[in-house]
Each structure stands twice: as C-alpha cells, then as structure tokens.
C-alpha cells in the first residue's frame, strides 16, 4: 500500500484512550490486534502523518 504523507501529526491528532480498553475482545489481546478493524483504521490514519518533532534524515523522503 502506498501512503501519501500529506499531514503533520498535529493535524491528525492523537489518541486519548486505547480502543482496546473497552473492547469486547480485550481478553484475546494481543492476538486479536492483527484482525481488528479499528486498529487497522487508526494505523492507516497515523501512517499518513509526518512527525513535526525530532530530527529526521533527509535521505529517502
């Protein structure tokens, strides 16, 4: 999958609470995380972000 990094992390936001805390499948952690639709959506959204903190190498970007 190609991910276009077009938003800074402050534009995307951050999680204030894990979606797993109130999940009915919590007892199956961590195995259930591989098939979890909510975690998958969160990972896709976060992967589009460009961190605005710390130093980053210019190579490969």
């Amino acid at each position: 999958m190609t991910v276009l990094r077009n938003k800074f992390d402050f534009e995307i936001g951050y999680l204030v609470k894990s979606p797993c805390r109130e999940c009915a499948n919590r007892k199956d952690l961590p195995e259930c995380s591989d098939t979890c639709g909510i975690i998958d959506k969160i990972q896709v959204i976060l992967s589009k972000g460009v961190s605005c903190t710390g130093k980053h190498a210019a190579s490969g970007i």
Side-chain angles (χ1 to χ4, degrees):
M1 169 176 41
T2 301
V3 175
L4 299 176
R5 297 184 187 277
N6 57 356
K7 292 187 176 189
F8 289 105
D9 55 2
F10 60 82
E11 294 177 297
I12 293 173
Y14 57 93
L15 293 175
V16 294
K17 181 175 74 170
S18 169
C20 303
R21 290 186 75 172
E22 296 177 1
C23 181
N25 298 323
R26 185 173 182 200
K27 64 186 179 317
D28 299 326
L29 275 170
E31 291 81 17
C32 59
S33 63
D34 290 337
T35 58
C36 179
I38 294 173
I39 290 179
D40 188 46
K41 288 178 186 178
I42 291 170
Q43 288 175 336
V44 168
I45 291 169
L46 294 178
S47 69
K48 293 178 181 180
V50 177
S51 176
C52 62
T53 60
K55 295 182 180 182
H56 300 283
S59 63
I61 296 178

